[in-house]
Amino acid sequence: MAKVTLIPAEENTGIIFKRTDVKKNQFIKAEYKNVSSAQLCTTISNSSGVSVSTIEHLMAAIYITGIDNLIVEIDNNEVPIMDGSSSDFIEIIKTAGTEEQLKKRKFVKICKEVNLKDGTKSIEIKPNNFGLSIDFELSYENQIIGNQKNKVDFYKDQLKDIYSSRTFCLYKDIEQIKKAGLAKGGSLDNAIVVDNDKVLNPSGLRNKNEFVNHKILDLCGDMMLSGSRVLGNVSCKEGGHKMTIGLLKKIFEESSNFVLIDLENIELITKDLKKSKINLSATA
Ligand SMILES: [Zn+2]
């Protein structure tokens, strides 16, 4: 069990995890440079080796709710999986509320196409001056998951089907995931479990594209590790955490790939949030 506390932070703080169960070197900045593992989930570590894993669904919730500055206190090394989606994190942030800060928000604007390929897997990002879109295609031999494709514009589309989509695994892979020490207590309560030709969860799927929608959610959470918000159109085929982190590294390797800008003219807030009027300060 882990206890997570979200604490409002000053402008230009970014997203910082604080491990309250260790005495020294407690802070880990949520940045692609600090990713120490991207197998199965995203893990960040500081230079003293203090780490937090499975940060991606919380990072996606932070992205979607428009939070730029936050201290995430946690008394364990793994963010709770909750129901396998970002729903609970989004709900708690909406309940606590967020507050507008004075400094202009920084964006990473992509200036030219950057791409990565690895066998049949690929990811690319192209310029988009006004938002972030993610186009994802997955392809599984399993007939239930099969081939799914979806494209989401994070500032134009409703995101509920994205943030409520759960992580998934094949029944035969559960043992391997447990051996890696992740998804402790992994069960039908926190993942979609697929056996050959059926979904084992009694209530079935939450939406018809739940598998690919969860991959879009993961990608969004990992993009938040740019340290700012990225403006671009991402297309990914069969990728995952490793590929997204690889793309971020490649973008920042070459200064002509991007420019850091302030934006004030466009109201970059996701549609879901516009509906729930929020103006409290964030403590959850
Ligand atoms: Zn995930």
Side-chain angles (χ1 to χ4, degrees), residues 176-243:
Q176 191 199 335
I177 294 168
K178 283 198 171 161
K179 266 185 212 150
L182 296 164
K184 290 160 196 151
S187 74
L188 296 172
D189 295 330
N190 54 35
I192 310 166
V193 184
V194 181
D195 197 10
N196 299 318
D197 59 350
K198 58 178 184 290
V199 171
L200 297 183
N201 307 62
S203 52
L205 296 178
R206 290 179 174 174
N207 61 76
K208 71 175 182 7
N209 287 324
E210 190 166 1
F211 302 107
V212 74
N213 284 344
H214 185 79
K215 298 295 279 187
I216 292 173
L217 183 73
D218 278 344
L219 207 157
C220 153
D222 287 337
M223 288 301 280
M224 192 68 194
L225 295 171
S226 66
S228 319
R229 270 143 217 278
V230 175
L231 298 176
N233 294 330
V234 182
S235 295
C236 185
K237 229 181 138 188
E238 297 175 43
H241 302 297
K242 210 173 149 193
M243 206 142 213

Side-chain angles (χ1 to χ4, degrees), residues 13-27:
T13 303
I15 313 300
I16 295 178
F17 284 77
K18 181 183 178 189
R19 282 275 303 271
T20 55
D21 58 323
V22 300
K23 293 215 163 64
K24 279 183 183 171
N25 308 308
Q26 298 172 294
F27 295 97

Side-chain angles (χ1 to χ4, degrees), residues 34-44 51-59 77-81 167-168 177 180-184 214-215 218 221-222 225 240-245:
N34 291 335
V35 172
S36 51
S37 167
Q39 285 295 117
L40 299 170
C41 70
T42 304
T43 303
I44 49 169
S51 68
V52 184
S53 64
T54 322
I55 62 167
E56 60 272 18
H57 306 155
L58 177 57
M59 291 303 287
N77 64 356
E78 186 178 6
V79 175
I81 189 76
T167 190
F168 57 94
I177 294 168
L182 296 164
K184 290 160 196 151
H214 185 79
K215 298 295 279 187
D218 278 344
D222 287 337
L225 295 171
H241 302 297
K242 210 173 149 193
M243 206 142 213
T244 311
I245 302 305

